[in-house]
């Protein structure tokens, strides 16, 4: 939202400076900030911090709104094409803004390839199914491959250099670093130009660092906090948030799918749409909705090609 921090009632130059130094450069980022975080990052006292957040919320109308306003806001939901009509239709038109879409699958299922494709398609104009915005890619495993994204853009008939320029990469080395990166995005990046936020993979650092039953509660608590930050960003900036998650063995399953998504109930509750990706026949890929409040259960088939992902029969 437009407006400078000094437009917030009661915020003068010195408070504005503290807020900016703490990484809050727009009113939305203040409206959605947890109070303890804002106090820690700005040095403001409890009273000032709560007043500033309250005023920012008032101005952005981010929390208490009427159902009519919510209806209007939901009309602002955009859908981004995946470059596969089949997958788009499974997703109800594409990957949705103001929501968390989770891609679950084993190694090599194609989660990262879908993310690369979305980094390109989100920049397409609306008439080509895009969101006309940039992408942020939080890379936790060092898998972002610019040459591959360049190839996808080129094969879609786009200018690959300008596509790469509109993708911001955040390389996260630990789970704490990953959380901090996401929390500080609004102060580092002009969020009004961004429409897609990817975290690939959202869970690997958490799983790697918090090993054993005794650390599970702490892990889930941190993961929960991280997912809530992502949810706030999706709503505050009208972003499509796409997370990748690993499939892990499910010892409780004797029939059917022997795997389940990592992250337990915390992941299950936070993610709006959960999509399972697996390898199919002759290099094809199969996507299934496993949990979504709005999408019917169904399947989609697609291929990984030089254009990222696309339908098995593009003409079909
Ligand atoms: P993990 O991150 O290991 O859990 O797997 P993932 O689900 O992210 O898999 P990813 O998206 O990396 O898919 C890897 C598969 O994509 C490979 O096995 C290849 O089949 C395919 N692939 C990767 N790059 C290319 C490419 O440039 N061209 C084509 N045609 N296929 C590719
Ligand atoms: Mg991957």
């Amino acid at each position: 939202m437009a407006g400078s921090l000094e437009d917030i009632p009661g915020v003068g130059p010195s408070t504005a400076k503290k807020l900016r130094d703490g990484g809050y450069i727009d009113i939305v980022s203040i409206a959605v900030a947890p109070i303890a975080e804002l106090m820690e990052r700005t040095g403001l006292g409890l009273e000032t911090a709560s007043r500033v957040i309250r005023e920012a919320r008032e101005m952005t109308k981010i929390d208490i709104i009427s159902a009519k306003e919510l209806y209007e806001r939901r009309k602002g939901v955009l859908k981004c094409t995946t470059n596969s009509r089949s997958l788009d239709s499974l997703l109800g038109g594409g990957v949705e803004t103001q929501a968390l879409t989770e891609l679950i699958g084993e190694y090599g299922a194609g989660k990262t390839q879908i993310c690369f494709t979305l980094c390109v398609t989100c920049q397409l104009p609306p008439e080509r199914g895009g969101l006309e915005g940039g992408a942020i890619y939080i890379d936790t495993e060092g898998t972002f491959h610019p040459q591959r994204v360049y190839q996808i853009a080129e094969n879609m008939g786009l200018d690959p250099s300008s596509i790469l320029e509109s993708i911001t990469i955040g390389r996260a080395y630990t789970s704490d670093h990953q959380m901090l990166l996401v929390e500080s995005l609004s102060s580092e990046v002009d969020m009004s130009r961004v429409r897609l936020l990817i975290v690939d993979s959202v869970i690997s650092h958490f799983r790697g660092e918090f090993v054993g039953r005794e650390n599970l509660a702490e892990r889930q608590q941190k993961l929960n906090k991280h997912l809530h930050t992502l949810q706030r960003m999706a709503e505050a900036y009208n972003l499509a948030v796409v997370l990748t998650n690993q499939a892990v063995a499910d010892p409780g399953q004797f029939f059917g799918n022997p795997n389940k998504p990592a992250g337990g109930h915390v992941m299950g509750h936070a993610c709006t749409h959960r999509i399972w990706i697996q390898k199919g026949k002759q290099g094809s890929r199969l996507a299934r909705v496993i949990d979504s409040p709005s999408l019917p259960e169904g399947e989609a088939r697609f291929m990984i090609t030089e254009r990222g992902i696309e339908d098995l029969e593009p003409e079909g």
Side-chain angles (χ1 to χ4, degrees), residues 105-113 141 148 151 285 304-306:
E106 293 177 61
Y107 303 112
K111 306 177 293 289
T112 297
Q113 296 299 317
E141 298 172 321
R148 171 66 171 146
Q151 179 197 36
R285 297 295 194 274
I304 302 172
T305 71
E306 67 278 10

Side-chain angles (χ1 to χ4, degrees), residues 133-151:
I136 296 173
Y137 194 105
I138 306 292
D139 184 0
T140 70
E141 298 172 321
T143 48
F144 185 81
H145 188 8
Q147 272 73 12
R148 171 66 171 146
V149 177
Y150 189 103
Q151 179 197 36

